[in-house]
Amino acid sequence: MAIITISRQIGSKGDEIASLVASKLNYELITREIIHQKAESCDLDFKTACSAYEVEEKPGGFFERLFFGEPAYTALFESMNYELAARGDVIMLGRGANFALANVPGVLKVRIVAPESVRAQRIADQKGVPLSEAIEYVERHGRHRRALIESIYHDTISAWSRYDLVLNTVAFSAEESADIISTATMMVGKKTDKEERKKILLSMAFAKKVERIIKKSITTLAYRDITVDVLSGGKIVLRGVVSDIRSKETAADVASKIEGVTEVDNQLRTTELSF
């Protein structure tokens, strides 16, 4: 069947719905504990970024905003999503998975929403706090989520065209929403070769691994990124623009030393003028 990504607003019952769907379909729900394990496997240079990914919040200081602007981190987050999705029969909850898996076949991308007033009242009832405090909490949480997605994927979490299914939990109960998602999952899954999808995801994960290692080693240009394509037999193709010949050569040298890479086709271009 299809892989499911569920993006949800705080107080929309998205977590409850994800658990119900996992139970109905016997899917693995990618929990915070699983994300924590992935975060713990990050190297020291990525520890702060992985911790933010784990809790779905963006650090708020000026240094951290610059930190999240590093291209290597986007590649890191995408590779983590691809590796988790490659397990198959999983529900990816939050963390921009719908953006990372946007072009992968057999992925059902769901958004769970509800009016802010309804979500705030639910939070107030659940936590036993004044409604005004719940409203502030909902607004702050929403800002953090939007900032994180914009920092990593340069996109907006409320772009409805990024989802296959948007459910308002005022119109549908958690149980009804889970039924709708389960039915849609089976319909999407019928059109997908699971083994082929797994190969695609693992290849994409490896490509992003190579990207992030390269981007840690050289300065990349924000307006002309480096991309990696993985071909059969471990051959990779480097494309994009770097500042000079030395950076181009360094990128190829770094890539060639990565386990699993057998050949590097370096098609990087430079901004240097040559005469």
Side-chain angles (χ1 to χ4, degrees):
M1 289 189 288
I3 290 167
I4 305 169
T5 69
I6 295 182
S7 169
R8 77 284 193 215
Q9 294 177 317
I10 190 72
S12 66
K13 299 186 178 182
D15 294 75
E16 178 184 351
I17 291 167
S19 295
L20 287 169
V21 175
S23 178
K24 287 176 181 292
L25 298 179
N26 194 28
Y27 265 38
E28 178 185 17
L29 178 60
I30 302 300
T31 62
R32 178 171 291 187
E33 288 72 28
I34 294 172
I35 297 297
H36 180 73
Q37 291 172 10
K38 295 294 279 185
E40 284 297 302
S41 69
C42 290
D43 61 46
L44 291 176
D45 289 341
F46 283 130
K47 276 292 184 182
T48 300
C50 286
S51 296
Y53 176 81
E54 178 187 347
V55 299
E56 294 189 274
E57 291 187 6
K58 177 189 176 186
F62 177 69
F63 172 76
E64 286 82 3
R65 289 199 293 274
L66 292 178
F67 186 82
F68 264 82
E70 290 293 331
Y73 299 134
T74 298
L76 168 70
F77 298 135
E78 289 176 325
S79 67
M80 291 172 74
N81 273 307
Y82 297 147
E83 289 173 2
L84 290 167
R87 299 185 184 196
D89 293 349
V90 295
I91 299 175
M92 311 280 291
L93 189 59
R95 298 174 180 83
N98 62 291
F99 294 103
L101 304 179
N103 298 315
V104 176
V107 177
L108 177 68
K109 298 173 286 294
V110 181
R111 175 77 167 159
I112 308 295
V113 301
E116 184 177 285
S117 58
V118 173
R119 293 186 288 115
Q121 187 62 62
R122 289 172 179 170
I123 295 295
D125 294 341
Q126 178 184 347
K127 295 182 176 293
V129 298
L131 181 59
S132 59
E133 184 177 330
I135 291 172
E136 182 182 350
Y137 174 79
V138 166
E139 291 175 346
R140 183 174 65 253
H141 194 279
R143 286 195 301 271
H144 286 169
R145 286 260 178 93
R146 288 192 297 271
L148 182 63
I149 295 303
E150 289 170 5
S151 297
I152 298 172
Y153 297 108
H154 309 293
D155 210 328
T156 173
I157 202 168
S158 59
W160 306 122
S161 61
R162 298 296 190 182
Y163 306 98
D164 304 310
L165 185 63
V166 179
L167 292 171
N168 186 331
T169 53
V170 169
F172 301 102
S173 68
E175 186 70 36
E176 290 168 339
S177 297
D179 285 339
I180 292 169
I181 294 170
S182 298
T183 300
T185 299
M186 290 184 282
M187 294 173 68
V188 172
K190 290 178 181 178
K191 308 171 186 177
T192 308
D193 183 327
K194 290 177 63 175
E195 288 305 312
E196 182 62 26
R197 182 182 63 201
K198 182 176 181 178
K199 290 179 183 178
I200 291 172
L201 285 165
L202 291 177
S203 177
M204 293 170 74
F206 183 66
K208 291 299 176 182
K209 174 186 176 181
V210 175
E211 273 186 37
R212 66 183 171 91
I213 293 174
I214 291 174
K215 290 173 181 178
K216 284 177 61 179
S217 304
I218 64 172
T219 300
T220 57
L221 305 174
Y223 61 94
R224 298 297 293 272
D225 202 4
I226 293 175
T227 60
V228 176
D229 292 326
V230 178
L231 307 181
S232 61
K235 179 178 178 179
I236 65 170
V237 182
L238 306 183
R239 294 189 174 91
V241 179
V242 292
S243 58
D244 50 43
I245 292 294
R246 183 176 179 180
S247 295
K248 176 178 178 176
E249 293 173 347
T250 299
D253 182 58
V254 168
S256 67
K257 295 175 181 176
I258 297 172
E259 184 179 356
V261 174
T262 58
E263 181 181 351
V264 179
D265 179 3
N266 190 355
Q267 297 185 19
L268 291 173
R269 293 177 288 129
T270 73
T271 58
E272 280 186 327
L273 294 177
S274 57
F275 299 91

